């Protein structure tokens, strides 16, 4: 068994994929997916399910590592941004060399900081520097660096 992917449903999959490529060095895994039909309806439980999008190879795991799947459904249901303490999947975490530099790149690519860069010693583990941020569609991201 192995972990395969995490999905983000997007309002504009191309723009969001571009953000993750430019900010974190993710790589597009061809082909672009254009999926619809009875099989998708059956598997998702959605009537008239139709989507377009792509998988992005996440950095640091090689060519067969897990991916970030960014899909845009026809008829996306929007929601307000949720804070970190709401139930459910809440953030993606990227371990980076320099939290401040990565946060600058993230903001230049349309993301935003949600908190302040903080450092804390975790006894028996090391020092973590981290901050919560969000992508251009308000999906939460944790930037972290361990020393």
């Amino acid at each position: 068994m192995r972990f395969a992917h995490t999905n983000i449903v997007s309002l504009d999959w191309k723009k969001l994929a571009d953000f993750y490529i430019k900010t974190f060095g993710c790589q597009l895994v061809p082909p672009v997916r254009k999926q619809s039909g009875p099989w998708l309806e059956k598997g998702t439980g959605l009537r008239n399910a139709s989507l377009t999008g792509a998988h992005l190879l996440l950095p640091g795991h090689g060519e067969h590592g897990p991916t970030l799947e960014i899909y845009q459904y026809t008829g996306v249901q929007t929601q307000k941004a949720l804070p970190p303490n709401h139930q459910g999947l809440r953030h993606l975490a990227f371990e980076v060399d320099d939290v401040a530099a990565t946060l600058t790149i993230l903001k230049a690519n349309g993301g935003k900081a949600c908190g302040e860069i903080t450092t804390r010693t975790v006894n028996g583990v090391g020092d973590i520097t981290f901050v919560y941020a969000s992508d251009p569609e308000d999906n939460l991201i944790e930037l972290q660096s361990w020393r």
Side-chain angles (χ1 to χ4, degrees):
M1 183 182 313
R2 73 182 189 104
F3 183 77
H5 69 264
T6 298
N7 170 267
I8 296 178
V9 174
S10 176
L11 296 173
D12 185 332
W13 79 266
K14 288 181 182 178
K15 281 186 180 179
L16 196 58
D18 190 56
F19 168 84
Y20 283 94
I21 290 167
K22 288 180 177 175
T23 303
F24 298 107
C26 295
Q27 297 177 356
L28 184 68
V29 179
V32 168
R33 276 58 166 196
K34 294 182 181 184
Q35 303 174 1
S36 63
W39 69 272
L40 187 60
E41 292 176 30
K42 185 176 179 181
T44 62
L46 294 173
R47 291 185 53 170
N48 302 313
S50 176
L51 59 84
T52 305
H55 281 252
L56 303 177
L57 186 62
L58 292 165
H61 295 280
E63 65 183 62
H64 300 293
T67 59
L68 182 59
E69 176 186 78
I70 301 178
Y71 281 169
Q72 181 177 344
Y73 281 84
T74 301
V76 172
Q77 300 293 312
T78 61
Q79 69 180 16
K80 292 182 180 183
L82 296 173
N85 64 342
H86 275 239
Q87 180 183 5
L89 294 172
R90 293 307 315 130
H91 71 267
L92 301 172
F94 289 88
E95 189 168 342
V96 300
D97 291 331
D98 185 327
V99 171
T102 304
L103 183 61
T104 298
I105 293 166
L106 180 141
K107 292 193 290 189
N109 289 324
K112 62 182 180 240
C114 297
E116 297 176 27
I117 296 173
T118 303
T119 300
R120 168 137 173 98
T121 299
V122 179
N123 290 332
V125 181
D127 294 336
I128 184 172
T129 300
F130 80 102
V131 67
Y132 276 23
S134 67
D135 69 23
E137 291 193 9
D138 292 324
N139 298 295
L140 290 176
I141 298 168
E142 178 183 350
L143 304 177
Q144 62 174 243
S145 179
W146 286 93
R147 303 282 182 250

